[in-house]
Amino acid sequence: MKQQNIILTGFMGTGKSTFGKRLAYRLEYRFIDTDTEIEKRAGKSVAEIFRESGEAAFRKMEQELSEELSKQTGLVIATGGGLVMNPDNVTTLQSSGIMICLSASAEDILERVSRQPGTRPLLQEAEPLKKIKVMLKQREPIYSQFNQVCTSGKDRDQIMHDLLQLALSAQSNSTTP
Ligand code: S3P
């Protein structure tokens, strides 16, 4: 059986990287975080890319990376939260596996991203909670099309259990030889 990729998406601070790493370990897949990979290749942080080259340049890097990763198998991919706003990226990545969207409350998101100050250029606002709520509303139609796992109000074991259930059922439903 081909090892279908597991693609974790969702808003910033919903736990994509944290749980993506754990999931990859459990499945014996390779873990890739698109932000980290882009930073490695560009030799600068996402915040620097936004500042020096602009958001459009970053989105182009995300698109190129999505195309590249969709040609590989056996990956758990944690996407940047905005990557799936480009429908081409969704089509491309979906062709390689199953998409799962992580969600969390706006308050939890703020608390989590505040632990890494300056890393989220789109949330550098006087009222970040307000911005998070606005962005969540804007993005809801996109995020809601995927399988959902909520990471608020649950312990880590429960979240891992939910993720594994989805990932394994997708693998067993797959007819890809
Ligand atoms: C973004 C999310 C970030 C990063 C960039 C833009 C977004 O990734 O790609 O700051 O548009 O939601 P995380 O979701 O990993 O924080």
Side-chain angles (χ1 to χ4, degrees):
M1 279 285 270
K2 200 171 123 188
Q3 291 182 314
Q4 291 233 337
N5 293 334
I6 313 287
I7 303 118
L8 299 187
T9 192
F11 202 78
M12 297 171 250
T14 52
K16 303 179 294 277
S17 304
T18 304
F19 292 103
K21 275 182 206 152
R22 288 167 173 244
L23 191 61
Y25 179 77
R26 291 285 291 271
L27 296 172
E28 298 186 11
Y29 277 24
R30 200 154 63 87
F31 176 70
I32 296 269
D33 178 297
T34 61
D35 285 343
T36 307
E37 191 59 28
I38 287 170
E39 289 181 331
K40 222 187 283 172
R41 293 179 186 197
K44 41 182 119 164
S45 69
V46 170
E48 285 168 333
I49 299 171
F50 267 69
R51 205 164 45 240
E52 294 168 16
S53 313
E55 181 173 349
F58 174 74
R59 298 301 178 196
K60 188 155 180 285
M61 292 175 196
E62 285 189 318
Q63 185 167 9
E64 285 164 2
L65 185 58
S66 299
E67 281 164 19
E68 192 183 316
L69 297 178
S70 70
K71 296 187 184 102
Q72 301 176 31
T73 56
L75 300 179
V76 172
I77 303 168
T79 78
L83 183 143
V84 293
M85 297 306 122
N86 178 342
D88 290 344
N89 294 344
V90 175
T91 308
T92 307
L93 287 173
Q94 253 173 348
S95 72
S96 77
I98 172 194
M99 308 275 302
I100 301 175
C101 181
L102 302 190
S103 64
S105 69
E107 290 73 16
D108 279 355
I109 288 170
L110 179 61
E111 198 264 315
R112 293 173 191 172
V113 299
S114 301
R115 289 186 214 143
Q116 300 167 308
T119 57
R120 304 315 201 286
L122 296 177
L123 299 180
Q124 301 310 301
E125 299 269 329
E127 294 189 85
L129 185 61
K130 215 179 202 176
K131 180 76 188 289
I132 289 168
K133 287 181 177 169
V134 168
M135 287 180 74
L136 280 173
K137 199 156 186 214
Q138 284 168 343
R139 292 180 172 189
E140 160 69 16
I142 310 292
Y143 289 145
S144 65
Q145 65 183 298
F146 308 118
N147 301 289
Q148 301 288 317
V149 172
C150 179
T151 61
S152 276
K154 282 186 203 161
D155 65 27
R156 282 170 178 241
D157 289 346
Q158 182 62 54
I159 296 165
M160 273 310 293
H161 174 267
D162 294 352
L163 273 173
L164 271 167
Q165 290 267 95
L166 272 176
L168 295 174
S169 74
Q171 302 287 19
S172 63
N173 289 338
S174 162
T175 52
T176 316

